[in-house]
């Protein structure tokens, strides 16, 4: 398996980059912070640091371990918020993956996404915890309308906001040649799945995929921080 590669940029309208990511061999994570005076930056950084440290202590990483790592990060962030009033309201998304043989374990909270690309087909594996996802599920808007909806940035679930947290997770069977993509909504909130699939179809080099998608985001105005991680099995 090729190594994962990633890139994070501040975008054109933000004052600071509140996205974070880490790549540690077969384990990857992407976070997107929100809220408060520098709170989002703190929350997203805390999350990747705590998740990475938690998983690094394990000999083998499985699906439940990814959930436990996010819950651990949630506890640490919520504890800091409780002791620092200025950080009230801060939180972060988190999507974490681990490749083990022909299995891809994943866990997520918020609207950062995991995709798997195979044989020309891009599949969104995670489900957004967002207001627009609820509207989509209810049939009130289409997937294309999610990109421009005024409530597209409203999350229904985030790491660090509450003492208890429900984490989505799963396992995917993967094959040689599959492409794995993690991203914040700075990509998927502004660029359609068809455009993401086209970049993967056009580039066998993972870093070129990341750079191509980043260029596309900037072409449409880069309205948010954007983080993209890609790897090929």
């Amino acid at each position: 398996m090729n190594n994962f590669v990633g890139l994070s940029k501040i975008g054109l309208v933000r004052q600071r980059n509140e996205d974070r990511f880490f790549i540690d061999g077969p384990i990857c994570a992407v976070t997107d912070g929100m809220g408060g005076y520098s709170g989002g930056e703190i929350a997203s950084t805390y999350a990747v640091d705590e998740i990475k440290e938690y998983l690094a202590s394990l000999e083998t990483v499985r699906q439940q371990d990814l959930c436990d790592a996010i819950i651990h990060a949630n506890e640490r962030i919520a504890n800091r918020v409780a002791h620092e009033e200025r950080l009230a309201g801060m939180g972060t998304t988190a999507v974490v993956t681990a490749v083990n043989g022909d299995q891809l374990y994943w866990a997520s909270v918020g609207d950062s996404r995991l995709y798997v690309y195979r044989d020309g087909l891009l599949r969104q594996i995670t489900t957004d915890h967002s207001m627009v996802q609820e509207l989509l599920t209810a049939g009130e808007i289409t997937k294309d309308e999610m990109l421009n909806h005024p409530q597209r940035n409203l999350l229904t679930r985030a790491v660090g906001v509450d003492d208890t947290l429900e984490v989505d997770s799963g396992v995917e069977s993967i094959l040689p040649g599959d492409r794995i993509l993690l991203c914040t909504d700075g990509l998927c909130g502004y660029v359609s799945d068809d455009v993401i699939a086209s970049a993967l179809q056009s580039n066998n080099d993972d870093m070129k995929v990341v750079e191509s998608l980043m260029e596309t985001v900037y072409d449409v105005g880069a309205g948010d921080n954007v983080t993209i991680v890609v790897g090929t099995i």
Side-chain angles (χ1 to χ4, degrees):
M1 184 188 132
N2 294 334
N3 292 327
F4 282 85
V5 295
L7 194 60
S8 184
K9 290 192 174 183
I10 195 170
L12 296 174
V13 300
R14 296 299 181 95
Q15 294 182 329
R16 58 169 61 90
N17 190 352
E18 297 183 339
D19 289 1
R20 295 290 184 272
F21 74 96
F22 80 78
I23 299 168
D24 188 9
I27 301 171
C28 301
V30 166
T31 62
D32 178 2
M34 61 176 199
Y37 170 74
S38 76
E41 187 176 5
I42 293 171
S44 60
T45 302
Y46 241 58
V48 295
D49 288 349
E50 295 294 339
I51 290 168
K52 183 176 183 179
E53 182 178 355
Y54 185 94
L55 296 175
S57 68
L58 304 176
E59 187 172 332
T60 303
V61 174
R62 303 288 185 180
Q63 177 182 341
Q64 186 59 49
D65 298 320
L66 301 183
C67 295
D68 292 344
I70 293 176
I71 290 170
H72 171 71
N74 184 74
E75 293 170 350
R76 294 299 299 271
I77 295 169
N79 182 65
R80 179 159 182 182
V81 170
H83 289 87
E84 293 187 54
E85 187 176 338
R86 71 183 180 90
L87 299 178
M90 82 172 184
T92 183
T93 70
V95 56
V96 190
T97 61
V99 175
N100 189 337
D102 62 355
Q103 303 291 301
L104 171 68
Y105 302 109
W106 64 268
S108 74
V109 173
D111 63 357
S112 295
R113 291 183 181 176
L114 165 66
Y115 292 91
V116 172
Y117 178 82
R118 177 189 298 167
D119 296 334
L121 177 65
L122 182 72
R123 289 188 299 128
Q124 181 183 333
I125 305 302
T126 53
T127 299
D128 296 349
H129 303 135
S130 66
M131 186 64 69
V132 289
Q133 179 63 47
E134 292 190 354
L135 292 173
L136 177 68
T137 301
E140 297 182 23
I141 62 173
T142 66
K143 189 154 189 177
D144 286 342
E145 289 172 332
M146 292 174 72
L147 295 176
N148 299 306
H149 197 279
Q151 294 180 309
R152 68 175 183 263
N153 294 322
L154 295 180
L155 297 182
T156 56
R157 199 187 306 176
V159 181
V161 175
D162 296 311
D163 290 337
T164 59
L165 180 66
E166 181 182 356
V167 180
D168 287 359
S169 68
V171 57
E172 293 286 319
S173 295
I174 48 178
L175 299 173
D178 284 356
R179 316 285 290 280
I180 297 168
L181 184 148
L182 296 80
C183 66
T184 60
D185 68 335
L187 175 65
C188 55
Y190 296 86
V191 175
S192 71
D193 287 2
D194 287 344
V195 172
I196 296 173
S198 178
L200 288 159
Q201 179 71 36
S202 302
N203 297 283
N204 291 325
D205 184 291
D206 292 333
M207 197 65 218
K208 287 183 178 178
V209 172
V210 173
E211 292 169 348
S212 172
L213 289 172
M214 196 67 75
E215 182 177 342
T216 300
V217 169
Y218 273 74
D219 285 346
V220 299
D224 198 354
N225 306 313
V226 56
T227 299
I228 307 166
V229 172
V230 177
T232 301
I233 301 301

